């Protein structure tokens, strides 16, 4: 939401502007309403200025509703139905998207929690602004995908210009997900969607509240080992809370991460972005297309089209004393150099950022067309927590507390996958249905590897856009990091160079580059900055090399950029995959579970995920591919599977039955054919009916579900899909002991 929603009317059946706010109901015009104390009263709203810095076209505001969104800061007091407990399963610190996503999942699992945040309300503007298809597939399990996906434009094209000439304009962000491309929505809107959802589950955010201190007790048999003290910064009141687990979603400066003494490895790049959300007037031909504009001489810009015609414009800034920003200030104010010539980040104005953008866009022109919706100057850091979890697995980091990257909306999208990965594991552990020491260590092993690739991929593209010669940090080998920087001092940042790359100061894991090399920094004494070197050859471009880089980059990372390519390594919930000439399906354990279209009934079709019941949170989805149900071998295998479902010693009965397992039988039938099966096939279906839902794979063989999973038509196949929609393991239907051993590795009876 870029600005306050303008008044509209639907009197004629479609949205039209109107002068008076239609939500302001005039009770004086209604007979008998004045003394009716039960009639609905419109809650108070307030306007919030969205940017701390403004252009000369005015000040932008949005409208918010404190009684809906501000949690314990509700001016009418907290709701009567909110009854916080001093003992909860999970304490969540931080109510950004990751903390709220964990809360939303726990609420559906019946896991008790409290969620606190130091801010007065949800984010008003700025920060992340796009969600990937995998984000939406994940959030669909909570029933929230349509609300998020329909907020802003869908990105399916990319335009890249360099030195005034078109380098690339083509389709992009293509995936086999039902959600296809990159969906634009502001972080603040996502937070509001979550907050409304939590209210439906009788939960609110405790605002103005911080974690003052905490300790994890080691006494045996203590059901709530996390002992925390919460402090309300408005009233200075404190309260004690005990929890089974603590989730740190408290941002890049995470107090919880620092308290655990977990290093935040990586680099502060010395690259600065000026970020402005605004309506722009421009002759650039692809202003409302996602992409980049690059200047060999001046750096790069990134364009993200937003809702209502707004654009987010990232502009690379040179803050060095020899850069264009300093030269511009010197030309306007001769005393600038006399004062030292150093640019204070906080002093940079929107007009200066726009001036730099015009140098990059040249020969095209860009100017403001409305008040700024948001303005910020960000220094890009690329960091990953060395561990996502405490050694005892009682404390876990999610979102920006664990990974920090300012390219491609990776931070927001990774945070939701973090939350999805962690929440079901916490839920099972909190309810005593899984072994804590088995299931919770997999959170760190799975999510940290993904975060490292985020830094590698986003860092590579960042350096292309910015013309930077900084090496991308190499953060994969934790053992090597522990050897070189056991205490996280970051005396040398690991980045793949022989000597460990650029040195940093002694400020610990949050130190900054000392030498500032790259297009935005001063070079070592006697040398030239990258910007100065570009000035020597302002027209020299290598179109073929640039196109080669882009082709290779998007071929290698296209699916990763949409969240689809995120394989997890071997663990107790992802057993080692052994290649065989005969296999139940070809889809590997540890990857995203494909989501093909299927038929549910004669008058209804949809996607496989649609049959993964909403609101369960910790259910495993067991997809059984049964082909036509007519082959002898597949009938025998399915009969073995059906017998297991009823056997007390089988995994289904041992580990919770329908409360733990959602079983789908995918058949190569049309709905009416289910009632005309041969006797043996009909008998198998009758045995399965009570525990299994049958669906119909009636699409053509080159696009059906059996082909998508490459299911074995002769023997059948079973795919165990985890609650977060990753493949856990695969087996033939008669390999029920193998499936049982898988669940016995982490579930409790």
């Amino acid at each position: 939401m870029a600005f306050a929603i303008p008044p509209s009317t639907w009197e004629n059946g479609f949205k039209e502007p109107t002068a008076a706010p239609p939500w302001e109901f005039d009770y004086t015009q209604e007979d008998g309403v004045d003394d009716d104390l039960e009639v609905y009263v419109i809650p108070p709203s307030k306007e919030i200025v969205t940017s701390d810095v403004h252009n000369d076209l005015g000040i932008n505001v949005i409208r918010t509703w404190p009684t809906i969104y501000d949690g314990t800061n509700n001016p009418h007091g907290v709701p009567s139905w909110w009854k916080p407990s001093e003992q909860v399963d999970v304490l969540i610190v931080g109510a950004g998207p990751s903390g709220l996503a964990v809360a939303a999942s726990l609420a559906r699992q019946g896991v008790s929690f409290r969620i606190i945040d130091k801010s007065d309300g949800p984010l008003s503007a700025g920060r992340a602004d796009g969600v990937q298809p995998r984000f939406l597939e994940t959030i669909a399990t909570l029933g929230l995908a349509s609300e998020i996906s329909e907020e802003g434009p869908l990105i399916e094209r990319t335009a890249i210009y360099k030195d005034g000439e078109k380098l690339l304009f083509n389709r992009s962000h293509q995936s086999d997900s039902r959600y296809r491309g990159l969906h634009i929505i502001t972080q603040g809107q996502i937070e509001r969607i979550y907050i409304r959802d939590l209210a439906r589950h009788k939960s609110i955010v405790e605002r103005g509240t911080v974690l003052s201190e905490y300790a994890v007790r080691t006494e045996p048999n203590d059901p709530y080992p996390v002992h925390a003290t919460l402090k309300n910064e408005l009233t200075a009141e404190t309260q004690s809370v005990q929890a089974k687990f603590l989730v740190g979603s408290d941002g890049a400066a995470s107090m919880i991460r620092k308290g655990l003494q977990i290093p935040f490895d990586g680099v502060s790049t010395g690259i600065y972005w000026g970020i402005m959300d605004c309506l722009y007037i421009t002759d650039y031909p692809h202003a409302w297309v996602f992409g980049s504009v690059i200047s060999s001489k001046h750096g790069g810009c990134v364009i993200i089209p937003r809702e209502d015609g707004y654009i987010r414009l990232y502009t690379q800034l040179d803050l060095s004393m020899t850069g264009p920003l300093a030269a511009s200030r010197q030309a306007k104010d001769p005393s600038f150099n006399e004062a030292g010539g150093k640019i204070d980040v906080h002093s940079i104005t929107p007009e200066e950022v726009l001036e730099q953008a015009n140098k990059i866009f040249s020969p095209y022109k860009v100017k403001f067309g409305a008040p700024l919706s948001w303005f910020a100057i960000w220094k890009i850091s690329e960091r990953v927590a060395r561990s996502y979890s405490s050694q005892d697995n009682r404390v876990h980091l999610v979102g920006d507390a664990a990974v920090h990257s300012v390219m491609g909306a990776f931070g927001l999208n990774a945070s939701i996958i973090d939350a999805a990965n962690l929440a079901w594991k916490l839920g099972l552990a909190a309810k005593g249905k899984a072994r804590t020491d088995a299931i919770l260590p997999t959170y760190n092993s799975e999510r940290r590897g993904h975060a490292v690739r985020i830094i590698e991929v986003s860092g590579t593209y960042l350096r292309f856009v910015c013309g930077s010669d900084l090496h991308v940090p190499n953060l994969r080998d934790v053992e090597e990091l522990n050897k070189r920087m056991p205490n996280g001092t970051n005396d040398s940042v690991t980045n793949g160079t022989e000597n460990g790359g650029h040195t940093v100061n002694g400020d610990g894991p949050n130190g900054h580059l000392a030498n500032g090399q790259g297009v935005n920094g001063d070079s070592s004494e006697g040398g030239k900055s990258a910007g100065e070197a570009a000035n020597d050859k302002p027209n020299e471009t290598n179109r073929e090399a640039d196109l080669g880089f882009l082709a290779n980059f998007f071929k290698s990372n296209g699916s990763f950029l949409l969240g689809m390519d995120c394989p997890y390594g071997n663990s107790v919930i992802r057993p080692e995959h052994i290649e065989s000439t005969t296999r139940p399906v070809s889809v590997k354990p540890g990857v995203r579970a494909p989501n093909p279209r299927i038929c549910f009934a004669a008058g209804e079709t949809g996607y496989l995920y649609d049959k993964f019941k909403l609101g369960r949170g910790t259910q495993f989805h067991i997809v059984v591919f049964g082909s036509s149900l007519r082959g002898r071998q597949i009938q025998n295998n399915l009969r073995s599977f059906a017998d297991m479902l009823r056997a007390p010693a089988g995994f289904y009965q041992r580990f919770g039955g329908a409360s733990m397992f959602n079983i789908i039988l995918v058949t190569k039938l049309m709905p009416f054919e289910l009632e005309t099966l041969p006797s043996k096939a009909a008998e198998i279906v009758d045995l399965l009916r009570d525990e299994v839902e049958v669906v119909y794979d009636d699409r053509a063989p080159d696009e059906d579900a059996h082909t998508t999973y490459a299911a074995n038509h002769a023997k059948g196949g079973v795919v165990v899909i985890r609650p977060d929609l990753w493949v856990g393991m695969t087996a033939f239907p008669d390999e029920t002991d193998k499936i049982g051993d898988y669940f016995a590795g982490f579930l409790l009876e």
Side-chain angles (χ1 to χ4, degrees):
M1 185 188 303
F3 50 83
I5 298 174
S8 302
T9 178
W10 284 260
E11 290 181 358
N12 294 316
F14 56 91
K15 185 178 181 180
E16 298 176 281
T18 186
W23 57 84
E24 293 182 357
F25 185 75
D26 186 358
Y27 294 96
T28 63
Q29 302 300 313
E30 302 292 327
D31 293 336
V33 171
D34 287 347
D35 59 351
D36 187 350
L37 300 180
E38 299 300 322
V39 72
Y40 175 74
V41 177
I42 305 296
S45 65
K46 67 177 181 180
E47 292 187 338
I48 299 176
V49 177
T50 61
S51 180
D52 295 331
V53 181
H54 316 288
N55 59 24
D56 58 5
L57 296 180
I59 296 175
N60 189 77
V61 299
I62 65 168
R63 184 183 306 105
T64 188
W65 305 85
T67 60
I68 300 174
Y69 296 118
D70 289 2
T72 54
N73 280 351
N74 186 333
H76 293 176
V78 299
S80 60
W81 43 256
W82 184 63
K83 303 183 186 302
S85 173
E86 293 181 353
Q87 290 185 330
V88 292
D89 293 321
V90 183
L91 175 61
I92 304 169
V93 179
S98 58
L100 290 167
V102 171
S105 178
L106 296 179
R108 286 159 171 77
Q109 298 177 53
V111 175
S112 63
F113 66 90
R114 289 174 68 171
I115 179 168
I116 67 172
D117 196 277
K118 64 181 179 181
S119 66
D120 295 335
L123 190 68
S124 60
R127 299 197 188 170
D129 49 19
V131 296
Q132 301 164 347
R134 190 54 172 169
F135 176 115
L136 292 166
E137 289 180 344
T138 301
I139 219 69
T141 62
L142 305 178
L144 301 176
S146 61
E147 190 170 4
I148 291 176
S149 67
E150 296 166 6
E151 178 74 17
L154 173 65
I155 303 299
E156 292 187 295
R157 299 288 185 274
T158 294
I160 301 176
Y161 274 58
K162 187 170 184 180
D163 296 326
E165 297 182 357
K166 181 172 66 177
L167 187 63
L168 172 73
F169 176 53
N170 210 334
R171 296 170 69 244
S172 64
H173 299 85
Q174 305 293 313
S175 76
D176 68 315
S177 170
R178 71 194 301 175
Y179 301 107
R180 295 162 46 197
L182 184 69
H183 294 252
I184 299 302
I185 180 172
T186 65
Q187 180 173 320
Q189 283 297 86
I190 292 175
E191 290 180 12
R192 288 171 176 81
I193 289 170
Y194 276 127
I195 289 168
R196 291 196 300 268
D197 179 78
L198 288 182
R200 299 177 198 122
H201 293 84
K202 295 185 177 181
S203 298
I204 62 175
V205 177
E206 299 177 53
R207 294 289 179 185
T209 302
V210 297
L211 178 65
S212 178
E213 60 182 4
Y214 79 93
V216 180
R217 305 287 177 86
T218 58
E219 289 84 351
N221 302 320
D222 185 351
Y224 299 95
V226 178
H227 292 241
T229 300
L230 310 183
K231 180 180 179 180
N232 187 307
E233 293 191 317
L234 299 177
T235 65
E237 294 179 354
T238 62
Q239 57 179 309
S240 297
V241 175
Q242 297 178 20
K244 296 177 182 177
F245 302 100
L246 174 64
V247 173
S249 52
D250 50 342
S254 171
M255 181 273 282
I256 293 175
R257 185 191 67 242
K258 293 175 182 177
L260 291 171
Q261 297 184 333
I262 294 175
F264 209 22
D265 297 311
V267 296
S268 291
T269 64
I271 298 173
Y272 288 81
W273 288 118
I275 310 173
M276 302 188 294
D277 288 357
C278 197
L279 286 171
Y280 293 95
I281 300 171
T282 179
D283 58 351
Y284 174 65
H286 298 297
W288 289 272
V289 175
F290 176 86
S292 304
V293 178
I294 303 169
S295 166
S296 298
K297 184 176 180 180
H298 297 292
C301 287
V302 175
I303 300 169
I304 300 179
R306 290 191 43 201
E307 69 280 13
D308 301 313
Y310 274 64
I311 291 171
R312 171 163 294 178
L313 185 63
Y314 291 82
T315 301
Q316 184 183 357
L317 301 176
D318 186 341
L319 271 60
S320 69
M321 289 186 283
T322 57
L325 187 55
S328 176
R329 289 195 177 188
Q330 167 66 17
K332 297 173 184 176
D333 180 9
S335 67
F336 174 71
N337 275 353
E338 297 172 10
K342 184 177 180 180
I343 298 171
D344 179 5
V345 170
H346 303 291
S347 71
I348 298 173
T349 67
E351 288 72 24
E352 288 178 317
V353 176
L354 187 66
E355 180 182 352
Q356 173 68 2
N358 273 285
K359 292 176 182 177
I360 295 170
F361 270 78
S362 180
Y364 303 106
K365 300 296 182 184
V366 183
K367 65 180 182 179
F368 295 127
L372 282 169
S373 174
W374 188 54
F375 176 83
I377 306 295
W378 279 5
K379 182 177 184 178
I380 295 181
S381 292
E382 299 168 329
R383 298 191 179 276
V384 176
R386 196 171 298 181
S387 175
Y388 273 40
S389 304
S390 62
Q391 290 185 349
D392 58 11
N393 286 293
R394 290 291 172 178
V395 185
H396 304 275
L397 306 174
V398 295
D400 285 352
V403 59
H404 191 63
S405 169
V406 191
M407 278 291 283
F410 274 121
L412 171 64
N413 287 275
S415 74
I416 300 305
I417 307 303
D418 286 350
N421 187 291
L422 177 62
W424 70 271
K425 298 171 183 178
L426 284 179
L428 287 174
K431 292 191 288 187
K433 294 184 177 181
R435 288 173 29 224
T436 298
D437 61 346
I439 197 168
L440 288 180
T442 65
Y443 171 63
N444 173 65
S445 64
E446 292 184 338
R447 292 306 302 151
R448 189 184 181 279
H450 180 231
V452 169
R453 189 176 176 192
I454 285 174
I455 297 301
E456 294 170 348
V457 172
S458 64
T460 298
Y461 190 73
L462 168 74
R463 286 152 178 77
F464 170 75
V465 172
C466 296
S468 173
D469 56 4
L470 287 172
H471 290 275
V472 177
N474 178 6
L475 305 174
R476 286 191 174 272
D477 192 338
V478 173
E479 289 186 7
E480 180 64 21
L481 290 171
N482 286 333
K483 290 178 183 177
R484 296 179 56 194
M485 296 176 286
N487 300 315
T489 57
N490 273 17
D491 290 328
S492 58
V493 177
T494 306
N495 64 6
T497 62
E498 183 177 352
N499 296 316
H502 301 280
T503 59
V504 299
N505 64 21
D507 290 340
N510 296 304
H512 300 288
L513 289 171
N515 61 8
Q517 289 188 0
V519 77
N520 291 302
D522 296 326
S523 65
S524 58
E525 186 176 350
K528 291 182 178 181
S529 70
E532 290 173 319
N535 280 331
D536 293 340
K537 304 174 183 178
N539 296 316
E540 183 177 320
T541 60
N542 191 332
R543 179 180 178 84
E544 185 174 336
D546 290 340
L547 288 173
F549 167 84
L550 291 170
N552 181 67
F553 178 83
F554 287 111
K555 180 180 180 180
S556 301
N557 302 302
S559 294
F560 180 79
L561 294 170
L562 296 175
M564 312 292 281
D565 178 15
C566 179
Y568 293 148
N570 295 347
S571 72
V572 68
I573 59 173
R574 190 280 195 200
E576 183 177 359
H577 179 64
I578 300 175
E579 292 290 345
S580 173
T581 55
T582 303
R583 50 189 179 178
V585 298
S586 68
V587 175
K588 301 174 182 177
V591 304
R592 165 189 175 260
N595 186 28
R597 285 184 175 271
I598 51 175
C599 173
F600 305 144
E604 183 183 9
T605 64
Y607 290 84
L608 180 61
Y609 284 6
D610 293 338
K611 287 301 175 182
F612 296 173
K613 296 179 176 64
L614 298 177
R616 297 294 180 88
T618 52
Q619 266 198 325
F620 288 85
H621 311 288
I622 299 180
V623 179
V624 182
F625 289 93
S627 191
S628 64
L629 302 178
R630 294 174 183 268
R632 288 193 304 274
Q633 201 165 10
I634 203 169
Q635 287 181 347
N636 292 335
N637 289 350
L638 289 175
R639 179 59 187 258
S640 296
F641 186 84
D643 291 341
M644 177 279 303
L645 294 181
R646 287 172 166 73
F651 75 83
Y652 185 78
Q653 299 293 339
R654 286 169 59 198
F655 296 115
S659 66
M660 184 66 72
F661 303 110
N662 171 41
I663 305 179
I664 308 293
L665 175 61
V666 183
T667 67
K668 282 300 296 178
L669 302 171
M670 289 184 285
F672 64 84
E673 293 180 302
L674 193 67
E675 308 305 324
T676 59
L677 289 170
S679 58
K680 188 171 182 179
E683 180 183 350
I684 293 170
V685 171
D686 287 340
L687 289 172
L688 293 170
R689 277 187 191 276
D690 290 342
E691 288 83 17
V692 175
E693 181 171 4
V694 180
V695 297
Y696 310 96
D697 191 17
D698 62 357
R699 295 175 75 86
D702 60 354
E703 60 177 356
D704 68 3
H706 279 73
T707 295
T708 300
Y709 278 81
N712 190 311
H713 281 280
K715 297 181 178 181
V718 173
V719 181
V720 175
I721 299 176
R722 305 174 351 181
D724 58 353
L725 306 182
W726 262 259
V727 175
M729 60 92 67
T730 63
F732 289 105
D734 63 332
E735 294 181 312
T736 56
D737 288 343
K738 177 181 177 181
I739 302 172
D741 290 343
Y742 168 74
F743 288 115
F746 56 92
L747 292 182
L748 293 171
E749 297 184 37

